[in-house]
Structures are given as structure tokens and as C-alpha cells.
Amino acid sequence: MQPQKHSIKLYFMKAGIVGLPNVGKSTLFNCLSNAKAQSANFPFCTIEPNIGVVNVPDMRLQKLESLVHPERVLPATVDIVDIAGLVKGASKGEGLGNQFLGNIRETDAILHVLRCFKDDNIIHVDGSVDPVRDKETIDMELQLKDLETIDKKLEKVKRASRTGNKDAQKEEAALLKVKAGLEAGKSVRALDLTESEREEFIRNLQLITDKPVMYVCNVDEKAAVDGNAFVEQVKVAVKDENAEVIVLAVGTEADITELDDYEERKMFLQDIGLDEPGSAKLIRGAYRLLNLQTYFTAGVKEVRAWTIPVGSSAPQAAGVIHTDFEKGFIRAEVIAYEDFVSFGSEAKVKEAGKMRVEGKEYIVKDGDVMHFRFNV
């Protein structure tokens, strides 16, 4: 397996929370980030996007802390962005359309909140609860915006294609395939494109509907565990999108975050049949959405989780810590997380012969505990 080529950066992921006005986006943002964005029962409560840095829940980090007793512990993080609500006509600038679409283009993944509960006290911008209709409203606006991007690109490519340029002709064919899909109401992520078409011609256009998406079905407390009929409708509607669907009682999650006492939170969760907050599952799901994984460094100064794409080589993983580590990479000392926990310390792992020395071709595995040797 060849190491994948990635542009490594320390804070990888920015996930944008989107949806129609008044479906629970800002409440969800507050649950995830505890940043207390304004949340109210009227459209366009959020105008400027709120940004929160959220820790990725990982029990392995806590276990390493209990074994190593470091001075500090640093988890992996995800940037969460609460983006203004979208309405019909946003692609033409209606409501906060242009601002919304500009903000969402800058994110790496989309958390699309859909209202899947009835409550006469909470206004719905379209007057009734229908999550599939709501999804289609936003999809259409995003698809129309992507269609503008494709049409502009096609104008340039067609001129080169007419001269007989083979590469331009291939690009034109890929763009026309995407154009046809968008005009048929399909998001780019759901189109049957070859990997080379996506990588060579489509990915660099940063099309909004090509971004990975997680649908967050916002339900009432009764449906927090098993969902409801609205959730089932959503699952059917997105089955061809290669998207994740998560069920979350956002209002209940907000109540949980208000509790300071750990035992109180635990009892609250048990009462509604959950073993952990749904928000924790959402964050981990968002982390997986971009095909990311974690490796650890563990020493008395610091135990830390580092974010890398699945398929990263040892030098690429080292580069997340510092570019010099990648440039001057010599080797990596690697301990499987399970071995570290089983033997209880790095010294005992070494005594048992379970520490491996890996070179430049090594593909890092999720949970690896690593030390790097380098020379600059």
C-alpha cells in the first residue's frame, strides 16, 4: 500500500452546522462547544458564524493518562461552525444566502440538522414538520450554487477542448457528467464518478455538495434512543449519498450540558436510555466523516492525541508535530495502544520486545503510541 499524499495541518477539521432557520443549529452548537451562541425562537438568530473548538472524546487518552501521569493531556480537536440558516432562494442571494454559502464553502464537512419532532410552540419556517422537504430545500440551493461553479469552469475548458487538447476533453466530460447530475437534483457526493475524475477534475473546485455530510435528526426526548417515523424517512431519502445519520435530542442534550455534576449527568442519561451524551457520538462521527484517525505521544511532560488522515505514513504523522520532524525523519518507535495498556508502561513494553522500529514506508494505525527520531 502506497502512502497517501496529504496536506497535513495541526487542526484538520472544520465542520459546519447547517439547516433551515429554527431547527436547532445554535442549540446543538452550544451543546458541542459550551460557547453559548445566541439561540432563540425566530429565524436568522445566527448571522455571523460562531466557531467553537471541540475536544474529540477518546477513552484511550484517559487510559494513557492514568498509566503515564503526565503534566498535561491534550485531546484531538474539531472546529465546529454554526452557520446562519438557509432559505429558498439563497443561491440567488435571498435571506443571508451569499454569506451562508461563502461560510459553508470554507468548511471540510457538513453537519446538516433536520427537525424531526413536532412542537407547536417552536415555529417552523415552512409552517409544518417535514425533514425530507427541508433537506431537499437546502440541497437545491447548494446544488444551484455548485451548478454556477461548474458552468463557469466549463466555459474555460470547452475552449481548450475544441482545440483537440485530450486532457481538456477528459475534463469536459467529467464536468458535463457533474452538470447533468446537479440538474437532475443530485448532490455531487452521490454521483457515480471515477476516482480519477474526482481527484483530477472535481475535488479542486471545492463544490459544496461534494463535501461529506452527516444528517443530524433532531428529535424529542422520547425518540432519543430509537428515533421515530421522521428519522426513518430521512434514512430512506439519503440511502444513496454515502452519508451518516445520527439521532440526537438536541433540547435534552442542552439540559445535560447544564449539569455540572458528573454523577447527575450519568443518571440523566441512564433515565433516557443512553450510555453517553449523543453529542459525543456526533463528534466522533464527524471525525470519522473525513476519514481521520488518531495516534498518541505519551511522556511525563505530555500525553497528546494527534489527528492524521487514514493511510498516512510515519513521516507524514511526524510532520503534524513539526515540519522538521517530517523533513529529517529517521525512524519511528511504535507501540500498539493495546500493548501499552496490557503491559502498563513503555519500559515494560520494551522489556517484552513489543516496541517496533518502523521506517518511512510505515502506515500509521489508529491508536499507535509513537516516538520519532529525526535529524535536521
Side-chain angles (χ1 to χ4, degrees):
M1 179 178 179
Q2 291 296 315
Q4 295 182 21
K5 294 180 180 179
H6 302 287
S7 175
I8 301 284
K9 55 183 177 179
L10 185 56
Y11 291 113
F12 250 89
M13 180 173 171
K14 182 184 284 187
I17 302 177
V18 305
L20 289 175
N22 231 21
V23 296
K25 300 185 306 302
S26 293
T27 305
L28 175 60
F29 175 81
N30 290 336
C31 293
L32 296 176
S33 68
N34 291 322
K36 302 304 176 192
Q38 186 184 5
S39 175
N41 187 23
F42 56 89
F44 302 123
C45 178
T46 303
I47 298 177
E48 292 297 328
N50 299 293
I51 300 176
V53 180
V54 182
N55 293 339
V56 178
D58 195 328
M59 293 299 292
R60 296 174 299 180
L61 199 63
Q62 297 173 28
K63 185 64 178 177
L64 289 172
E65 179 185 13
S66 70
L67 295 172
V68 178
H69 306 294
E71 294 177 14
R72 64 175 183 169
V73 177
L74 293 172
T77 61
V78 174
D79 287 355
I80 301 291
V81 186
D82 178 24
I83 297 171
L86 186 74
V87 295
K88 289 178 183 177
S91 60
K92 304 300 181 187
E94 293 292 326
L96 299 170
N98 290 331
Q99 184 171 340
F100 173 97
L101 294 165
N103 291 331
I104 194 173
R105 196 180 292 280
E106 295 173 5
T107 64
D108 301 309
I110 296 171
L111 307 179
H112 186 161
V113 182
L114 296 168
R115 178 172 168 177
C116 294
F117 67 91
K118 290 184 177 180
D119 187 336
D120 293 338
N121 294 317
I122 300 178
I123 301 164
H124 189 290
V125 71
D126 285 332
S128 62
V129 178
D130 185 340
V132 175
R133 175 203 60 205
D134 295 352
K135 171 194 173 308
E136 289 172 350
T137 295
I138 286 191
D139 283 351
M140 183 187 301
E141 298 304 325
L142 301 184
Q143 289 160 7
L144 287 170
K145 202 65 182 178
D146 280 350
L147 198 52
E148 284 183 23
T149 303
I150 290 294
D151 283 339
K152 288 177 183 176
K153 186 67 174 178
L154 267 170
E155 285 180 26
K156 298 177 182 178
V157 172
K158 280 181 177 178
R159 287 195 291 269
S161 178
R162 292 191 196 103
T163 67
N165 184 306
K166 298 293 184 184
D167 289 337
Q169 289 172 352
K170 288 181 182 178
E171 184 171 7
E172 181 183 8
L175 292 170
L176 287 172
K177 191 186 292 189
V178 172
K179 179 179 171 69
L182 289 168
E183 289 176 337
K186 293 182 179 180
S187 293
V188 177
R189 74 180 74 87
L191 298 181
D192 185 21
L193 299 171
T194 66
E195 190 60 30
S196 63
E197 284 174 331
R198 285 191 183 277
E199 291 301 324
E200 291 178 38
F201 309 124
I202 306 304
R203 198 76 73 197
N204 64 345
L205 297 178
Q206 293 186 297
L207 298 173
I208 299 173
T209 66
D210 197 27
K211 295 178 184 294
V213 63
M214 175 188 290
Y215 292 100
V216 182
C217 294
N218 183 11
V219 300
D220 56 27
E221 187 176 310
K222 292 179 182 177
V225 177
D226 298 320
N228 57 26
F230 289 131
V231 174
E232 295 308 309
Q233 292 168 16
V234 172
K235 288 179 178 178
V236 171
V238 307
K239 62 181 173 50
D240 296 327
E241 284 193 45
N242 192 28
E244 290 198 36
V245 177
I246 189 169
V247 178
L248 209 64
V250 175
T252 303
E253 295 284 331
D255 292 338
I256 294 172
T257 59
E258 292 297 325
L259 299 174
D260 295 325
D261 184 75
Y262 172 77
E263 288 303 322
E264 285 186 11
R265 286 190 180 197
K266 190 174 179 180
M267 289 176 62
F268 194 135
L269 289 166
Q270 287 174 344
D271 286 345
I272 61 175
L274 296 175
D275 55 359
E276 67 174 343
S279 55
K281 294 178 181 177
L282 184 150
I283 294 165
R284 286 199 299 271
Y287 193 70
R288 291 194 306 272
L289 199 59
L290 281 182
N291 207 27
L292 300 176
Q293 66 181 16
T294 300
Y295 79 86
F296 303 101
T297 50
V300 292
K301 290 286 186 184
E302 177 182 280
V303 167
R304 184 164 185 164
W306 300 90
T307 299
I308 56 172
V310 173
S312 295
S313 66
Q316 289 173 326
V320 175
I321 300 175
H322 197 286
T323 53
D324 285 348
F325 283 31
E326 183 173 4
K327 292 174 184 175
F329 179 89
I330 299 172
R331 65 180 183 273
E333 295 172 354
V334 183
I335 302 171
Y337 169 79
E338 292 78 10
D339 287 337
F340 201 109
V341 171
S342 176
F343 290 99
S345 71
E346 183 178 316
K348 290 181 179 178
V349 170
K350 287 180 179 178
E351 287 175 15
K354 291 290 187 177
M355 177 183 281
R356 308 188 313 275
V357 176
E358 302 286 359
K360 293 181 178 181
E361 300 303 313
Y362 178 67
I363 302 301
V364 179
K365 296 179 177 61
D366 185 54
D368 278 349
V369 181
M370 305 183 76
H371 291 300
F372 298 104
R373 304 298 178 189
F374 68 101
N375 182 29
V376 179

